[in-house]
Amino acid sequence: MKQRDIDIKSNDNTLFVTEQCNNRCIMCCQPPKRTNDIDLYFLQNIERVKNAPKDLPVIGITGGEPTLLGDKLIDLIHLIRQELPNTDIHILSNGRNFKDFNYAKRVVDAGEGKLILGIPFHSDYEGDHDIIAGAKGAYNETILGLYNLAMQGACVELRIVMNSLNYNRFLAMAEYIHKNLSFVAWTAFMGMERTGFADKRSDKIWIEPCEYIPQLNDAVHFLNDWHHEVAIYNIPLCLLPKDLHGFAKKSISDWKNYYPELCDGCSMKDDCCGLFATSSKEYIGLNCI
């Protein structure tokens, strides 16, 4: 994967650290590879951090699975703290390797209070979570990782990628979060990027947003009513009822984002996330508000 230059004007400045992953998520937009690439990307990212604008508000770390770097991930976080002391760090991880309490502590400590961890939660039911993650035991390791991070006072964003295997459990998942994961900073319900595995396995995993809006509505309002922070990512406003518009965020990375021609006259375009340019098909039901 070619690294993009860091741009102070971009909403997505991310360090890609490996194409390897210990999950094989059924809807992964960038399927993992078995390749010895950690050292190469590490050296590239050292230079990118050193040359980054000093007033960069946030920098991401993603893969693959960043925790496969082991100590190199901690070294990279330390370097960012040294070179970009005012920059927040947002790590996307499946959370499994944080089952190691000491490793979780060292990563959080390295962030010096400016670290956000985005962790996927595929289902409150272990079997479904492991099927979606493509790895047996992923649920138990992720949940243990979440608790270890919570014990360190980490800022955790819980991510629910909405698909045909979990949408009927949205409310149950919201109830589980309220009862067992109330320490998370916020929960994000995310529309799928229809590329990679999500496209190749669309017959098993794909569902149009219009089909899960009732379940999404119940889950979002449940969390909101209990004063949990909740957001909706990657779903255009025209597909959401008005009472969910306040939860929708302009979340799609600017380099992946586009608006089809029918959006040109829409009064909500400036506030809408639009669509993934990388997706093989547009959502059904798009319309001009």
Side-chain angles (χ1 to χ4, degrees), residues 24-29 122 128-134 161-168 170 190-209 211-212 283:
R24 200 165 181 84
C25 294
I26 194 170
M27 71 300 182
C28 183
C29 63
H122 299 307
D128 286 346
H129 181 100
D130 286 2
I131 288 172
I132 295 169
V161 179
M162 299 180 283
N163 60 72
S164 65
L165 299 184
N166 66 9
Y167 79 102
N168 276 320
F170 285 171
M190 308 183 68
M192 272 194 291
E193 183 179 358
R194 191 164 178 166
T195 188
F197 284 161
D199 192 34
K200 291 180 180 178
R201 301 169 177 172
S202 60
D203 59 326
K204 297 180 179 179
I205 201 77
W206 185 259
I207 183 171
E208 291 291 334
E211 298 180 61
Y212 58 64
Y283 291 131

Side-chain angles (χ1 to χ4, degrees), residues 109-120:
D109 286 349
E112 299 179 4
K114 297 183 74 64
L115 181 67
I116 305 162
L117 292 131
I119 310 288

Side-chain angles (χ1 to χ4, degrees), residues 2-114:
K2 188 177 185 298
Q3 294 271 32
R4 296 183 304 109
D5 292 335
I6 290 178
D7 180 1
I8 192 69
K9 297 178 182 179
S10 175
N11 71 346
D12 180 25
N13 286 296
T14 300
L15 305 176
F16 187 86
V17 296
T18 182
E19 294 190 72
Q20 301 175 63
C21 190
N22 54 344
N23 274 1
R24 200 165 181 84
C25 294
I26 194 170
M27 71 300 182
C28 183
C29 63
Q30 187 170 304
K33 297 179 180 178
R34 294 181 176 90
T35 178
N36 185 14
D37 60 0
I38 286 175
D39 289 342
L40 174 62
Y41 280 123
F42 184 70
L43 293 174
Q44 290 178 359
N45 285 319
I46 286 175
E47 292 306 310
R48 295 185 78 217
V49 170
K50 288 182 176 180
N51 293 318
K54 299 303 180 184
D55 54 348
L56 194 68
V58 61
I59 192 166
I61 298 177
T62 189
E65 172 51 43
T67 61
L68 295 181
L69 273 67
D71 287 349
K72 280 188 170 65
L73 176 60
I74 297 169
D75 292 341
L76 185 59
I77 295 170
H78 279 307
L79 179 67
I80 295 170
R81 287 279 60 85
Q82 175 185 317
E83 298 290 331
L84 307 169
N86 298 316
T87 301
D88 288 330
I89 304 170
H90 192 286
I91 298 178
L92 298 183
S93 167
N94 59 42
R96 292 175 59 191
N97 283 332
F98 295 124
K99 66 181 185 293
D100 181 329
F101 181 86
N102 289 328
Y103 187 67
K105 184 178 188 305
R106 291 172 64 211
V107 168
V108 174
D109 286 349
E112 299 179 4
K114 297 183 74 64

Side-chain angles (χ1 to χ4, degrees), residues 206-220:
W206 185 259
I207 183 171
E208 291 291 334
C210 59
E211 298 180 61
Y212 58 64
I213 292 301
Q215 292 84 353
L216 175 62
N217 190 74
D218 289 344
V220 167

